[in-house]
Amino acid sequence: MDRRPHVLIARDDIENTVVRLASEICADYQGRHPLLIGILKGSFVFLADLIRHLDLPLELDFVTLASYGSGRKSSGKVRAVQGLRTDIRGKDVLVIEDIVDTGLTISFLLDGLRRLKPASLRLCSLTDKPSCHRVPVSIDYLGFSLPDKFVIGYGLDFNEEFRYLPDICVLEESE
Ligand code: IMP
Ligand code: MG
């Protein structure tokens, strides 16, 4: 049995969507100086592409969160691995995520950030699997809604592999 990446969202579609999200964000944050917080590791490719289309003065920080061990199913438990270095009090915070699946990871982070009293707190996620949510999540800037399939590429991994693929793919089993 062989497992091959099969393209679900091609690089050109991703690029057009990144440009669309950047223009929505630029329009909403005119005259402000947002702090973008990328969730590592998965969002690093998306964040790197997104910020180069944002014509705004901005700051960046990162957090590492983990809910998945290895494999495809969420453990349902989220643990903070590495925290923020920036004081977010009074700042316009925009969290950048690669994918929302059960929503547990992002809810955990947003709840924690809200307690630190930012001036505003919004979420931008490249992808979402709405049929998998286990808690309500509201995504202010969304790229793509996905079916309940495990995806890889464009920063997303399966057991730390495939992050380098330029397209968003599913792993298909073939003989
Ligand atoms: P959640 O807590 O179930 O919403 O899971 C969110 C995290 O799980 C994401 O930030 C990803 O790191 C990972 N994840 C969820 N679904 C996928 C997928 O289809 N491919 C790769 N990683 C995923
Ligand atoms: Mg992630």
Side-chain angles (χ1 to χ4, degrees):
M1 191 73 86
D2 187 24
R3 280 234 185 94
R4 253 177 251 190
H6 167 91
V7 175
L8 184 67
I9 307 172
R11 60 199 80 180
D12 292 356
D13 293 338
I14 299 173
E15 195 187 337
N16 290 337
T17 295
V18 169
V19 169
R20 192 242 317 151
L21 292 171
S23 72
E24 289 174 21
I25 292 167
C26 275
D28 289 354
Y29 285 85
Q30 272 314 310
R32 292 197 271 168
H33 189 297
L35 168 68
L36 272 55
I37 300 179
I39 307 184
L40 294 174
K41 301 173 190 169
S43 74
F44 81 104
V45 178
F46 173 43
L47 181 64
D49 282 347
L50 183 73
I51 56 171
R52 284 175 288 173
H53 292 286
L54 288 178
D55 188 16
L56 287 171
L58 56 86
E59 280 175 69
L60 283 179
D61 204 348
F62 295 93
V63 285
T64 304
L65 297 173
S67 64
Y68 279 55
S70 55
R72 306 182 192 206
K73 280 275 158 245
S74 177
S75 66
K77 287 193 195 109
V78 181
R79 64 201 164 88
V81 175
Q82 186 196 301
L84 274 182
R85 288 178 204 165
T86 315
D87 180 5
I88 70 165
R89 182 179 286 265
K91 294 207 167 136
D92 290 310
V93 174
L94 178 60
V95 173
I96 309 294
E97 178 59 305
D98 50 356
I99 190 161
V100 176
D101 181 359
T102 62
L104 292 166
T105 305
I106 201 66
S107 305
F108 170 85
L109 178 68
L110 293 175
D111 288 349
L113 294 178
R114 216 168 274 121
R115 276 186 232 119
L116 301 174
K117 307 264 188 270
S120 66
L121 181 60
R122 286 189 181 171
L123 172 62
C124 171
S125 183
L126 180 64
T127 65
D128 181 33
K129 297 189 207 169
S131 64
C132 299
H133 289 186
R134 280 162 55 189
V135 286
V137 190
S138 122
I139 304 174
D140 302 285
Y141 306 95
L142 173 64
F144 301 97
S145 279
L146 302 180
D148 181 8
K149 290 205 162 139
F150 195 86
V151 291
I152 50 169
Y154 199 71
L156 290 153
D157 73 305
F158 175 57
N159 288 349
E160 292 302 323
E161 287 186 70
F162 305 112
R163 292 192 196 275
Y164 58 87
L165 296 176
D167 309 297
I168 294 176
C169 302
V170 284
L171 279 181
E172 298 243 307
E173 293 188 351
S174 55
E175 297 296 331

